[in-house]
Amino acid sequence: MSTVAGETGSGCGAAEWTAAESVVISRAVRNAPSVHNTRPWSLALRGQTAELRERPTVLAQHDPDNRDRRLSCGAALANLVLAIRGLGRTTEVALGTSAGLVTATVTATGHAEPSVAERRRSEAVLDRRSCRQAFDGTGLPESTCGALLDAATAPGITGRWISGAEETLGVARLLTYAARVFQGNADYQRELAAWTTTTGEGLRRDGFGERGLAAVGLATERTRLPDEYALATRMRREAVLVVAARPDGPVDQVRAGAAVEQAWLEATSRGLAASVITQPLHLTEVRSGLTAGLGLAGAPQVLMRFGVPLGR
Ligand SMILES: Cc1cc2nc3c(=O)[nH]c(=O)nc-3n(C[C@H](O)[C@H](O)[C@H](O)COP(=O)(O)O)c2cc1C
């Protein structure tokens, strides 16, 4: 395995994870968001290391480049590191690829209390979920937007809020275009239906968005698509963040997924609701349209929507 990144901590002996620690770590990883809820990773705990490996699950229609699979592994990696930090251990992370699949090895190297943000985010791991319903339209305070943007920022990973009427309309135009393309693609719709469930694993049908941005972020045959003006109006009632990566290789996509999850947990810890959207970004013309239209510093990976849940 080639090691391409790391964070360091102090050294300590190589005792085994206790049974209680293993439960905390495994549960945190299992609760990470993933494309179609596929959990495309495996986790092995040995000695004082935890090894996360990308599993070659295939979503030929939805995720032809396996981009979402690696973003999902990144989200699982964020939860893994936060779980270990929540246990009061320092971590060293080595990211690499083996036979075309990404591997992340996290080693517990010493002892140190988690920071306030790490504590809050690790405690939010089990509460985080996709909320594709409408938000209450209240704007987020500037300080909250700043904290979410900070959480989504990492080396090579940048966040950018979508703001202003013109910019929002430009993005809405790209998203309605993408939703129409996916809605008209019978092979795509067959695959999506196969992953949609009423119980158990996969995408929960009762969690689908009915209107607005969340609905066009997972367009099914039944989605009633708004026109671009109606969508732009709805988008202006939400805080919408684009997360981009440069460069745009497999390891960078894992890092982007980790940054997305950090921002999602930051939002959860503040009582906010969120959901993520990648479906439209699987079209090259949408990715390049967003990059040009927003002047992004890297390749767009994920759209995140945040807001105050209705009825709070
Ligand atoms: C990389 C990635 C891509 C995703 N893409 C979409 C998407 O395009 N539209 C959507 O509504 N949800 C999307 N999701 C959310 C997943 O469907 C969701 O995380 C999964 O079903 C588990 O549900 P939970 O988040 O409530 O735990 C994505 C999640 C990840 C990690």
Side-chain angles (χ1 to χ4, degrees), residues 20-31 41 43 45 80 83:
E21 286 171 337
S22 301
V23 168
V24 169
I25 293 169
S26 306
R27 206 168 39 193
V29 169
R30 187 174 165 73
N31 211 54
W41 56 74
L43 174 69
L45 300 177
L80 171 58

Side-chain angles (χ1 to χ4, degrees), residues 31-37 62 68 71-72 75 128-130 132 202-203 214 217-218 264 276-280 302:
N31 211 54
S34 61
V35 54
H36 287 14
N37 207 16
H62 180 81
D68 278 17
L71 290 164
S72 304
R128 182 221 54 82
R129 58 186 53 84
S130 296
R132 299 188 186 86
L203 273 166
L218 199 57
W264 202 337
V276 301
I277 293 164
T278 60
Q279 187 195 56
V302 180

Side-chain angles (χ1 to χ4, degrees), residues 130-147:
S130 296
C131 174
R132 299 188 186 86
Q133 308 315 313
F135 301 144
D136 86 347
T138 313
L140 302 184
E142 221 169 279
S143 59
T144 303
C145 291

Side-chain angles (χ1 to χ4, degrees), residues 178-198:
R180 277 195 195 93
V181 170
F182 287 113
Q183 215 169 36
N185 180 336
D187 290 335
Y188 180 92
Q189 290 300 329
R190 252 191 301 278
E191 184 186 80
L192 183 56
W195 280 95
T196 305
T197 63
T198 46

Side-chain angles (χ1 to χ4, degrees), residues 7-18:
E7 296 162 20
T8 49
S10 56
C12 87
E16 295 286 322
W17 298 109
T18 65

